[in-house]
């Protein structure tokens, strides 16, 4: 009635990289360079598990219980050496370069210890209850907050069996409800702000070499907490017509808390980012799967259609202790912002100034900035990357040993910021910029750059922009493209694509009788064959 198991393993790999730029080219002044990189990653995992089986509380109730402990350790190493300027041509060694440096010599290690248990109850094979609990201790968290516990419970009821509802129309029915908490630690070395030892900074007039250490640009946090996730889910599985029509329906509420982020902070603080736990986010999700087999003949022909629908509505419930915006990103381009009351991950950047009706404000007059965008006063939300819904449709036709399937993928709504499109517009490499000699008018109304308000005519109406500008100004400067306001490079994310088409043939088992193979299949597939 009791099974005891202990298992352990290690997964490790190493990777050596080298890049050589020989002398004589345009790169790096033509003096040549070489770098070597060595990467090593390993993971050790040991687990003890005790499992009961065949236990019964009564003749109708079966019980299975599990308990165990686990140890997981992950470590990595990365060293990088660089050499510039070959001394002897053709000898590609670090020692044959005039300037050598160590780019990095980095080691990382994290360890997690865990204890867990679960109990499964089954009543007459139609009512099931599962309860679990786990406690972890992580080396990446503060010693005062290193331990964290998270439970779960799930209840499912096969009402078609319990109530004996099966017939030619209704085949199977199950409803389920689940509650679960999960927690996880933060990345290693986020608790203390450290110094990095650098190469010799300078040599004093007396000939003494001075070494130095530089402070990290990232401000760490000694009070970090484990990330938390809490989810409540309800669902149903329904089958009709002996499994020819199947429905899988799910609704869930998922709340994330204490998410670990590196927040952008003013560089006047001496740092560019700060490690924090970033409030909480709630996601309401709807998922539906529909499996239909409209045709199934005795001759071996089958047509099956599967539809997968999902919709997620997210909302930021809280951010930091002050409720301030949390801006994610390195600051080179636009970022993402967590703002209370808004969906998660809103696009954040410096866009165009707009009036109350959403019209872009344009500089009045000719020449100079005339006819170009007026920038907004400050950075703000300029787009929403979240989809309204996603839908996938897979059609599969099979006849005897032949199978043909096609997956159509539909992403509706959401927005994307494209640096690629902005750069191509900047350089006139897209078809919309083929007319290099024509004049262009940016859609919008005239505005005042000082007040960021529209200029009104005698009747109090905004004045439509009619100032024409050259293709250079329209695409290259403050119009559109990479040098324009950030929101001019926001695009609709709606896409419909033929994601994959596959044609396959299952080799008959009669042909494989005298081979070591139990089954074999030959297939041809193409991906992203059509896009709209």
């Amino acid at each position: 009635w009791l099974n005891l198991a202990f298992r352990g393993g290690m997964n490790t790999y190493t990777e050596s990289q080298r890049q050589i730029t020989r002398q004589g080219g345009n790169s790096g002044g033509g003096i040549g360079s070489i770098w070597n990189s060595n990467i090593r990653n390993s993971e050790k995992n040991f687990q003890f598990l005790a499992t009961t089986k065949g236990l019964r509380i009564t003749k109708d109730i079966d019980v299975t219980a599990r308990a165990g402990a686990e140890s997981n350790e992950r470590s990595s190493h990365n060293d990088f050496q660089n050499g510039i300027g070959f001394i002897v041509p053709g000898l590609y060694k670090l020692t044959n370069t005039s300037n050598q440096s160590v780019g990095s010599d980095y080691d990382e290690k994290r360890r997690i210890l865990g204890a867990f248990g679960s109990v499964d109850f089954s009543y007459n094979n139609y009512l099931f209850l599962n309860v679990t609990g786990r406690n972890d201790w992580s080396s990446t968290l503060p010693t005062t907050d290193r331990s964290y516990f998270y439970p779960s419970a799930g209840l499912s009821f096969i009402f078609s069996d319990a109530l004996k509802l099966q017939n030619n129309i209704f085949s199977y029915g199950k409803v389920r409800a689940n509650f679960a908490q999960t927690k996880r630690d933060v990345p290693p070395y986020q608790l203390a702000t450290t110094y990095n030892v650098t190469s010799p900074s300078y040599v004093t007039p007396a000939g003494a070499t001075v070494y130095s250490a530089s402070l990290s640009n990232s401000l760490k946090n000694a009070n970090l907490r484990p990330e938390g996730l809490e989810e409540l889910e309800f669902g149903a599985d329904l089958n009709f017509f002996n499994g020819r029509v199947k429905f899988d329906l799910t609704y869930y509420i998922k709340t994330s808390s204490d998410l670990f982020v590196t927040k952008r902070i003013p560089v006047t603080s001496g740092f560019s980012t700060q490690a924090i736990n970033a409030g909480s986010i709630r996601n309401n999700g709807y998922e539906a799967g529909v499996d239909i087999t409209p045709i199934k003949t005795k001759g071996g022909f089958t047509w099956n259609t599967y539809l997968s629908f999902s919709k997620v509505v997210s909302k930021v419930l809280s951010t930091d202790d002050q409720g301030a915006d949390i801006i994610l990103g390195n600051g080179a381009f636009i970022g993402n912002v967590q703002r209370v009351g808004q969906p998660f991950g809103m696009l954040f950047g410096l866009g165009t100034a707009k009036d109350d009706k959403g019209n872009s404000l344009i500089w009045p007059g000719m020449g100079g900035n005339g006819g170009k965008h007026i920038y907004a006063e400050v950075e703000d939300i300029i787009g929403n990357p979240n989809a309204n819904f996603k839908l996938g449709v897979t059609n599969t036709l099979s006849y005897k040993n032949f199978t043909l399937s096609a997956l159509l993928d539909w992403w509706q709504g959401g927005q994307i910021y494209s640096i690629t499109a902005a750069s191509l517009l900047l350089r006139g490499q897209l078809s919309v910029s083929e007319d290099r000699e024509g004049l262009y008018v940016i859609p919008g109304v005239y505005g005042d750059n000082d007040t960021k308000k529209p200029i009104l005519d005698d009747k109090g109406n905004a004045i439509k922009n009619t100032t024409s500008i050259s293709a250079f100004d329209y695409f290259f400067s403050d119009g559109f493209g990479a040098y324009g306001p950030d929101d001019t490079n926001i695009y609709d994310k709606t896409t419909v694509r033929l994601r994959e088409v596959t044609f396959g043939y299952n080799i008959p088992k009669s042909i494989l009788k005298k081979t070591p193979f139990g089954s074999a299949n030959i297939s041809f597939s193409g991906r992203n064959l059509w896009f709209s």
Side-chain angles (χ1 to χ4, degrees):
W1 61 272
L2 181 64
N3 182 67
L4 303 177
F6 176 80
R7 58 177 63 90
M10 181 176 70
N11 180 26
T12 183
Y13 73 88
T14 59
E15 182 178 326
S16 297
Q17 302 175 353
R18 165 178 284 198
Q19 177 175 296
I20 298 170
T21 303
R22 59 182 298 175
Q23 296 160 291
N26 292 327
S27 176
I31 60 176
S33 65
I34 181 174
W35 61 255
N36 294 327
S37 176
N38 296 294
I39 301 170
R40 182 177 66 252
N41 286 278
S42 66
E43 180 174 359
K44 303 172 186 175
N45 197 82
F46 300 94
Q47 184 186 83
F48 170 77
L49 181 65
T51 306
T52 68
K53 55 184 179 180
L55 295 183
R56 284 197 167 186
I57 298 178
T58 69
K59 66 175 184 178
D60 298 321
I61 301 177
D62 295 327
V63 179
T64 300
R66 301 175 188 85
E70 187 173 28
S71 169
N72 180 274
E73 180 182 289
R74 282 164 277 179
S75 61
S76 63
H77 169 82
N78 186 2
D79 62 72
F80 179 91
Q81 303 88 32
N82 186 50
I84 301 175
F86 288 116
I87 301 171
V88 178
L91 181 58
Y92 302 124
K93 299 289 184 181
L94 277 170
T95 52
N96 185 43
T97 55
S98 57
N99 187 357
Q100 301 166 16
S101 63
V102 177
S104 67
D105 189 357
Y106 182 75
D107 289 279
E108 178 181 291
K109 181 181 287 187
R110 70 195 301 176
R111 182 180 292 125
I112 298 175
L113 303 178
F116 55 89
S118 69
V119 181
D120 296 319
F121 299 92
S122 171
Y123 179 76
N124 281 336
N125 276 334
Y126 60 71
L127 183 62
F128 304 91
L129 174 65
N130 170 259
V131 180
T132 71
R134 179 176 177 116
N135 199 94
D136 284 338
W137 295 263
S138 172
S139 65
T140 68
L141 293 167
T143 55
T144 57
D145 204 5
R146 183 163 289 171
S147 172
Y148 47 95
F149 174 78
Y150 44 102
S152 72
L155 181 67
S156 61
F157 177 46
I158 305 177
F159 62 88
S160 57
D161 289 352
L163 304 177
K164 296 180 171 47
L165 299 178
Q166 294 94 336
N167 52 55
N168 291 333
I169 297 177
F170 185 71
S171 309
Y172 177 83
K174 181 176 77 171
V175 292
R176 62 186 187 274
N178 297 280
F179 172 80
Q181 286 184 344
T182 57
K183 292 187 177 182
R184 66 176 182 180
D185 58 353
V186 299
Y189 314 133
Q190 301 298 322
L191 304 179
T193 306
T194 57
Y195 286 83
N196 301 315
V197 178
T198 61
S199 301
S201 297
Y202 61 93
V203 177
T204 66
T209 301
V210 177
Y211 295 87
S212 65
S214 63
L215 188 63
S216 170
N217 290 326
S218 179
L219 181 62
K220 308 302 182 179
N221 188 342
N223 299 310
L224 289 176
R225 301 178 298 274
E227 295 183 326
L229 178 65
E230 185 174 287
E231 183 172 359
L232 181 62
E233 176 184 301
F234 302 94
D237 299 321
L238 306 173
N239 292 0
F240 299 86
F241 305 107
N242 296 317
R244 296 281 290 271
V245 179
K246 302 176 183 178
F247 295 92
D248 182 357
L249 310 173
T250 302
Y251 170 73
Y252 63 86
I253 303 173
K254 184 184 298 184
T255 304
S256 305
S257 60
D258 290 331
L259 296 175
F260 172 81
V261 298
T262 52
K263 174 186 176 181
R264 274 167 48 182
I265 58 177
V267 294
T268 52
S269 65
F271 302 92
S272 57
T273 61
Q274 180 183 11
I276 65 170
N277 290 108
S280 62
I281 300 166
R282 184 180 65 214
N283 289 322
N284 288 25
Y286 308 84
E287 296 177 351
V290 182
D291 191 309
I292 303 174
T293 306
I295 298 177
K296 189 174 183 179
T297 68
K298 294 181 180 180
F301 176 76
T302 302
W303 171 26
N304 176 263
T305 299
Y306 182 78
L307 296 91
S308 174
F309 173 86
S310 66
K311 177 181 177 65
V312 180
V313 180
S314 70
K315 184 178 181 180
V316 177
L317 302 179
S318 63
T319 54
D320 58 14
D321 295 337
Q322 291 77 38
D325 289 350
I326 295 177
I327 303 169
L328 310 176
N330 58 15
F333 300 106
I334 71 167
N336 296 93
V337 62
Q338 289 181 220
R339 177 175 294 176
V340 175
Q342 292 289 336
F344 173 74
M346 299 292 278
L347 303 177
F348 186 84
L350 186 61
T352 56
K354 299 182 184 295
D355 65 7
D356 295 337
K357 297 181 180 179
N359 298 309
S360 296
L361 300 186
I362 308 298
W363 282 88
M366 301 290 293
N369 288 324
K372 300 178 184 178
H373 288 115
I374 294 177
Y375 284 76
E377 193 73 38
V378 295
E379 290 183 304
D380 205 345
I381 292 174
I382 58 175
N384 183 357
N386 300 288
N388 296 331
F389 66 83
K390 301 175 187 178
L391 178 66
V393 181
T394 302
N395 277 287
T396 303
L397 303 175
S398 59
Y399 178 70
K400 295 184 178 180
N401 291 337
F402 294 93
T403 302
L404 175 65
S405 66
L407 170 59
L408 191 69
D409 199 11
W410 179 9
W411 176 303
Q412 178 62 43
Q415 294 170 305
I416 185 173
Y417 174 76
S418 176
I419 280 293
T420 302
S423 299
L424 293 175
L425 275 174
L426 185 77
R427 293 164 174 80
Q429 294 178 302
L430 296 180
S431 60
V432 296
S433 61
E434 286 180 347
D435 184 5
R436 311 289 175 87
E437 307 301 327
L439 297 176
Y440 296 83
V441 176
I442 296 178
V445 297
Y446 290 126
D448 187 317
N449 184 56
D450 294 327
T451 64
K452 309 298 181 183
K453 300 290 185 181
I455 298 175
L456 306 179
D457 59 17
D458 296 337
K459 297 181 180 180
N461 298 319
I463 304 171
K464 183 179 179 181
N465 173 41
T466 58
T467 303
S468 58
I469 57 178
S470 66
F472 178 86
D473 287 334
Y474 190 83
F475 293 110
F476 192 83
S477 58
D478 291 332
F480 299 84
Y483 292 160
D486 291 330
D487 59 351
T488 61
N489 297 300
I490 299 289
Y491 298 92
D492 184 14
K493 215 175 187 180
T494 299
T495 53
V496 179
R497 71 177 72 205
L498 186 58
R499 177 72 69 178
E500 185 174 10
V501 175
T502 302
F503 177 73
Y505 175 72
N506 292 317
I507 298 176
K509 292 187 177 181
S510 59
I511 298 178
L512 302 173
K513 279 185 177 180
K514 298 182 180 180
T515 71
F517 304 107
S519 63
N521 173 275
I522 299 175
S523 63
F524 301 89
S525 63
R527 296 184 177 179
N528 295 321
L529 301 177
W530 176 79
F531 177 91
S532 174

